[in-house]
Amino acid sequence: QVQVVESGGGLVQAGGSLRLSCTVSGLTFDDYPMGWFRQAPGKEREDVSCISWRGSGGYYSDSMKGRFTISRDNAKNTLYLQITSLNPEDTAMYYCATDTRKYGYCPDTLARFTYRGQGTQVTVSS
């Protein structure tokens, strides 16, 4: 059974930074692509970033580049998302997701991924 657990969210002031973590069990972590998406109340989900099983990371919009950094530590079965220069528009629940396809690459939308966690809340105060 695949389990996805996010952590690291919290309340931060604008301009601050956070590092979100996601641990995945129930599959061979190294072999799967992983991604982050977010959803704010009343808004559509927004894909943030994805990293392939080979470790190639990408971002779903230009606005995500620069402030968001995705990485993975296969030895710890953990995915990370570093966010800097936080602003109130970043307030959302952040979710980690992964897929059932081994050696898959990042899709055009993380909605294609099968597994996701319960999310970790990020709240940015102005």
Side-chain angles (χ1 to χ4, degrees):
Q1 182 180 358
V2 177
Q3 289 191 319
V4 180
V5 180
E6 302 93 339
S7 62
L11 174 63
V12 295
Q13 288 190 333
S17 300
L18 277 177
R19 187 176 78 160
L20 308 183
S21 300
C22 170
T23 57
V24 181
S25 59
L27 50 73
T28 304
F29 185 85
D30 310 31
D31 296 343
Y32 294 86
M34 302 279 167
W36 290 96
F37 67 93
R38 66 184 184 182
Q39 188 159 23
K43 294 187 178 181
E44 292 187 0
R45 59 176 285 163
E46 182 178 26
D47 291 337
V48 176
S49 184
C50 182
I51 187 166
S52 72
W53 69 279
R54 289 181 179 272
S56 298
Y59 303 88
Y60 285 93
S61 70
D62 288 342
S63 64
M64 301 296 182
K65 298 176 184 177
R67 294 196 303 117
F68 294 81
T69 304
I70 192 171
S71 61
R72 62 191 298 162
D73 185 337
N74 291 338
K76 295 182 178 179
N77 284 12
T78 302
L79 176 73
Y80 300 102
L81 184 69
Q82 179 78 39
I83 316 173
T84 60
S85 301
L86 281 155
N87 60 68
E89 288 69 41
D90 294 319
T91 294
M93 188 73 83
Y94 284 73
Y95 298 90
C96 172
T98 188
D99 201 22
T100 56
R101 295 179 303 159
K102 262 191 179 184
Y103 313 123
Y105 286 87
C106 291
D108 55 345
T109 169
L110 293 177
R112 299 185 188 279
F113 277 5
T114 302
Y115 303 110
R116 54 177 271 187
Q118 295 298 310
T120 186
Q121 177 68 40
V122 173
T123 303
V124 185
S125 63
S126 57

